[in-house]
Amino acid sequence: MEHATKTQSLNLQTLSKARLIELGQCHELSEKLGISMPQIIQIAEMHKGPLKPIGLGEAIILFINGKTKEKKRESTIKGYQTNLNRLQLAFGGKQIHELRAAELDIWINSLTLAPKTHNDTLATCSTMWTWLKERKYSVGPDNPFGKGVGRQETDDEYRDTLTIDDAKEVLTAASEDPFLAGIVVLQMFWGVRVEEAQKMLRKWIKPEHPMVTVPSRIAKKRKNRYNQANISEDWKTQMMTNAMAGPPNALAWLNYVLNKEYIYIGKGRRQEKCVGCFWNVNASTYRNHKKKTLPMITGRKNVMRHTFCTMHIHAFGN
């Protein structure tokens, strides 16, 4: 073949009948695909193994099922599905190896998505491509969702935070509502994410240690996290060098909402009493109470945890 390439000739008489039939079949296939036979060989060489092409629709199903088996969060799976549905609507008839960066760049920009959604969609598609390649599917030599497809700048560097006076207002209002009190205190003093705080159980909160455990089953990164409060006499000095713990007032606020007597409207619109705030609060219940009790932070996503992080860094340099 090397000699044939150099001399632009091929001695067909040296080939067996079976080889000639095979050559004829290859020629028919190349004509049908509109790709020359040398190009077909080059594509096969790039795959470095038996061809295992996969259509986009099947790829999405396999990827979603695979991630579900990996026990990814329901919200994560839902996000994957939403992002991949956008790709499916535009390129549903294609196989993965047929996707090209240039057409993907035109497609994603035509959707006019918000910057974060734009980038998240491409990130999901890229993750799926890598996942398929790791499982030896013929998806092409280079990730088409990579550098050739433009990402958009986001305002992720900006972190919305509360002023000290605003933080006092939020804490004062939230501490009067048993459906909000614990969740807000965990965000503003213990650095717990709102999605985690909503699912917290009372048994994971141990003020006597003092420690708040965020177990792997609800933690964002699926690893146990242990949040402590520093209550030693020289806590300020310690936290200048090791700010892994929260300050003493984190424990003070936690004890306050754990032992406060609350009056609230229960089932049947009846007034009821309880000692200590509620835990494992339904997400919709939390949103409804937050909307009513904390209108000053409506639309300010993650502002309470961002306030914790910002004040922590400002106070202790860590």
Side-chain angles (χ1 to χ4, degrees), residues 62-80:
L62 285 177
F63 175 73
I64 294 296
N65 288 343
K67 290 300 179 180
T68 301
K69 288 178 181 177
E70 291 175 19
K71 296 184 178 179
K72 293 290 184 183
R73 297 174 178 273
E74 185 179 341
S75 58
T76 300
I77 297 297
K78 185 177 179 181
Y80 284 155

Side-chain angles (χ1 to χ4, degrees), residues 14-65:
T14 63
L15 299 178
S16 66
K17 185 176 180 180
R19 288 285 183 176
L20 287 171
I21 293 173
E22 189 178 64
L23 188 61
Q25 291 173 334
C26 290
H27 178 69
E28 288 181 8
L29 178 61
S30 70
E31 289 287 319
K32 180 179 178 181
L33 296 176
I35 304 174
S36 70
M37 289 172 63
Q39 285 178 312
I40 292 175
I41 293 171
Q42 288 171 357
I43 292 170
E45 285 178 340
M46 286 190 293
H47 286 287
K48 296 181 180 178
L51 295 180
K52 191 180 175 184
I54 184 169
L56 179 57
E58 183 185 357
I60 291 173
I61 292 172
L62 285 177
F63 175 73
I64 294 296
N65 288 343

Side-chain angles (χ1 to χ4, degrees), residues 21-22 36-38 53 55 91 97 131-133 137 140 145-146 148 185-186 189 197 218 237 263 265 291:
I21 293 173
E22 189 178 64
S36 70
M37 289 172 63
F91 302 101
H97 72 270
W131 187 89
L132 292 165
K133 190 172 183 66
Y137 285 96
F145 301 98
V185 166
L186 288 183
F189 288 97
I218 68 168
T237 303
I263 298 175
I265 303 300
K291 184 177 180 180

Side-chain angles (χ1 to χ4, degrees), residues 199-236:
K199 299 172 185 174
M200 287 292 292
L201 301 180
R202 175 63 178 85
K203 65 181 180 181
W204 300 331
I205 299 167
K206 300 186 183 298
E208 64 273 17
H209 286 318
M211 182 182 291
V212 170
T213 299
V214 182
S216 59
R217 65 189 248 197
I218 68 168
K220 180 180 180 180
K221 297 187 177 180
R222 288 294 188 255
K223 292 182 179 179
N224 290 335
R225 197 167 72 251
Y226 305 98
N227 299 25
Q228 277 188 297
N230 192 326
I231 57 174
S232 61
E233 290 185 3
D234 63 337
W235 65 272
K236 286 186 179 180

